[in-house]
Amino acid sequence: MAAAVEHRHHHQDEEDGEERRMARLLAARQALRAGVDRSRALGRALARSTPRLEEIQARLPAMEASVRPIRAPAEALAVAGGNIDRALGPAAAVLKVFDAVHGLEPTLLARESVANDLTGYLAVLAQLEAALRLLSDNCGLAAQWLQDIVSYLGERSLADPRFVSDLAGQLDGLKKGSSAADLDAGLLAAALGMLEAEFRRLLADHSAPLAMREHDSATPASIVPSRIPPSVVHKLGLILDRLAANGRLDSCSAAYADARGDTVGVSLRALGLDYLKETSEDAQVLSPSVERWGRHLEFAVHHLLEAERKLCVAVFERRPEAMPSCFAEIAARAGILDFLKFGRALADTRKDPIKLLRLLDVFDSLNKLRLDFNRLFGGKACAEIQSRTRELVKMVVDGAVEIFEELLVQVELQRNMPPPVDGGVPRLVSFVAKYCNQLLGEPYRSVLTQVITIHRSWRKEAFNDKMLVEAVLNIVKTLEINFETWSKAYGDATLSSLFMMNVHWHFFKHLKGTKLGELLGDAWLREHEQYKDYYSALLLRESWATLTPLLSREGLIMFSKGQATARDLVKQRLKAFNSNFDEMFQKQSTWVISDRDLQQKTCHLVVQAIVPIYRSFMQNYGPLVEQDISASRYVKYSAEDLDKMLNTLFLPKPGRPRRTGSFQIKNSSDKITSAMTGLYRSASTLK
């Protein structure tokens, strides 16, 4: 039993021992497995740590160098500390200024700031400019201090050489980039751009063209000198001064000239200036525009440009050196050169007496504006306007004098032209009478005297008003000489008398009471009146008076045996009268008496010379013929018929061309000597 028990105990022990061995084996296996896992994890961690270890290994020399100063002598480190403190002081001050500049950004970059409070904005801008000047002056100095201490550290091996080298390079870059544009990151440029935009806005808001109409009289009372209020002018001046101080004067001047020049130009063009672009070889085509040209030029100079110059002076008060060029650009944009081009176009037209008057108009307008031109357009900035004006004045003076000096020659040449076929007054006679009156009347007399005086002064010759009067009177007297030559060109003496009656009466009637007639004198005028009476009587005597002898009563004795003889004589005399009357009436019906009063008076004289005698003849002897079967062959007219017919004589015929009348000058290759100047000029013919 005991053995059994012991056997069971022994067996139990063996089993327990086996379990313990198994447990140890399992624990060992688990431990081995955990070790393998840890080994693997460690391997993986080592694999991941290898680059870091390599990086640490690479940085060890640098770390060793960085801690090297710790091993430097204490005295060297103490001296370096003081130097570093002194170098960092200016640098810290510069950084404070940078902080102040940064604080100005919100105000300077706010558009409403410059529009609502320009004065305040300019004050802030002044702070920025002052800060940038301080930075510009001190940033380089602070950088130099820092560079000195870096050099000190490098020379004494108190820091890593590579670190010292990098720091030195950054300090060099800071010293080179110490301009305002680099120091403020463009803040000043942005602020100036906003100021320039405000400058343009103020100009645009207050540069509206004047409200004018085409052909406006443009009186001074209706003109507003400037549409820009003084407060705005003050603002423009402040902005311009600030921009100019920062190198933007040219852009401001250009903006101002653009705005104001275009405004003045639009105001002027509203008056209707298309005629300034007209071109023609005929001065008469441009003549209607000359009066407008002078009026518009005066308005442009006296009111628009005068006001613009005052405004320009006010805006550029702080920068007067830029005003002349800016105003010159405004004047050019306004179109002042177009006015001068029109004057030149007129001066380039063909020579013509009417052109002389228009050239005098142009000279008169320019002369009245001479002082204004000198004041407004003086200086180098307006050199082109000055040059164009001088050229125009010279062309006008030369052209006017050339035409005037040829007038006498043209009248002389007209002598070779045939007179009007109808015996009327040549157009030349009417033209010269009126034309010379214009030349001796105001304003042409004084203007022409001035023009010729200027031209003669260029040739070192004298001229005065008396010489002008004598020259004009010579033209009239030369035309008077033409009368005799023209009258001899007629093959009919009666027509010649009619012609002479016409021209002498025309001179008397159209010159009496005029300035020219006053200068010619009453005796000269009365002489022409007497010539008119003489040729009128000659006309009547040599033509219509020759008909009355045909109605003679000689041989017409009324008695019974002589009635047949008397009838035959009456028939013969009526036949002869009718034939000669018809011929004379038909011929003289084509003749003209230019003056209506003279025509009526001459017709009345003809009627009085013919009709009473014819009426008496017919009353006494008409019955002898009227009873005859062939009476209609001899009694063609009644006294009333003759009266009506004779009163229709010498009336101008509508549409009939007038010769010996136009006065257009054409150049030819012949040479003649001017009686006025003694100089050879190209001859001309009159058409």
Side-chain angles (χ1 to χ4, degrees), residues 379-624:
K380 296 181 180 179
C382 295
E384 183 178 6
I385 296 176
Q386 297 169 21
S387 175
R388 296 279 188 91
T389 304
R390 286 193 297 268
E391 290 175 1
L392 177 56
V393 170
K394 188 175 189 310
M395 291 181 68
V396 168
V397 169
D398 287 341
V401 171
E402 183 177 9
I403 294 173
F404 179 76
E405 291 183 342
E406 287 191 358
L407 291 177
L408 181 66
V409 178
Q410 303 310 315
V411 174
E412 292 174 343
L413 289 174
Q414 188 70 15
R415 212 171 283 167
N416 299 322
M417 299 295 291
V421 294
D422 57 12
V425 177
R427 188 170 297 171
L428 177 68
V429 176
S430 302
F431 179 85
V432 169
K434 181 179 180 181
Y435 189 77
C436 290
N437 255 321
Q438 285 183 290
L439 291 181
L440 292 180
E442 293 301 332
Y444 291 119
R445 179 171 175 172
S446 58
V447 176
L448 181 56
T449 301
Q450 187 176 5
V451 166
I452 301 178
T453 301
I454 292 173
H455 191 268
R456 293 289 178 86
S457 69
W458 296 343
R459 298 177 348 205
K460 309 299 182 183
E461 299 175 3
F463 192 80
N464 53 46
D465 180 71
K466 182 179 179 181
M467 297 171 68
L468 173 66
V469 172
E470 291 176 353
V472 174
L473 295 183
N474 283 338
I475 294 173
V476 177
K477 293 176 181 179
T478 299
L479 178 61
E480 185 183 13
I481 297 172
N482 288 7
F483 296 169
E484 191 68 28
T485 302
W486 285 333
S487 68
K488 293 177 181 178
Y490 290 107
D492 189 313
T494 307
L495 180 56
S496 176
S497 297
L498 179 95
F499 168 77
M500 293 295 276
M501 178 186 70
N502 267 324
V503 294
H504 283 290
W505 177 247
H506 186 88
F507 255 26
F508 172 78
K509 184 173 182 179
H510 288 83
L511 295 180
K512 185 179 181 180
T514 65
K515 186 65 177 178
L516 181 57
E518 179 184 336
L519 293 170
L520 289 166
D522 290 338
W524 186 89
L525 291 172
R526 284 195 302 272
E527 183 179 352
H528 282 282
E529 184 180 25
Q530 293 167 0
Y531 271 126
K532 182 269 297 182
D533 293 336
Y534 168 77
Y535 285 109
S536 176
L538 189 61
L539 168 68
L540 188 63
R541 184 174 68 247
E542 293 180 349
S543 58
W544 297 104
T546 62
L547 297 182
T548 56
L550 298 177
L551 300 177
S552 171
R553 300 186 181 192
E554 184 179 353
L556 298 177
I557 301 174
M558 299 296 293
F559 57 91
S560 58
K561 291 184 179 180
Q563 189 173 11
T565 303
R567 183 183 296 111
D568 292 339
L569 286 175
V570 170
K571 287 181 179 180
Q572 291 175 10
R573 290 174 184 177
L574 284 175
K575 182 178 180 181
F577 175 84
N578 290 337
S579 176
N580 283 273
F581 177 87
D582 289 344
E583 180 182 354
M584 194 171 298
F585 181 82
Q586 183 178 4
K587 179 174 64 174
Q588 295 196 20
S589 292
T590 62
W591 298 355
V592 169
I593 296 179
S594 304
D595 182 77
R596 178 61 175 168
D597 293 336
L598 182 59
Q599 182 266 338
Q600 292 178 344
K601 184 177 181 181
T602 303
C603 287
H604 178 72
L605 292 175
V606 173
V607 168
Q608 290 302 311
I610 301 297
V611 174
I613 295 176
Y614 182 81
R615 180 182 289 112
S616 176
F617 184 84
M618 292 303 295
Q619 287 175 350
N620 292 322
Y621 306 109
L624 290 175

Side-chain angles (χ1 to χ4, degrees), residues 68-93:
R68 189 180 303 150
I70 299 176
R71 300 193 300 270
E75 302 82 17
L77 291 175
V79 174
N83 290 336
I84 292 173
D85 291 340
R86 285 192 296 273
L88 291 178

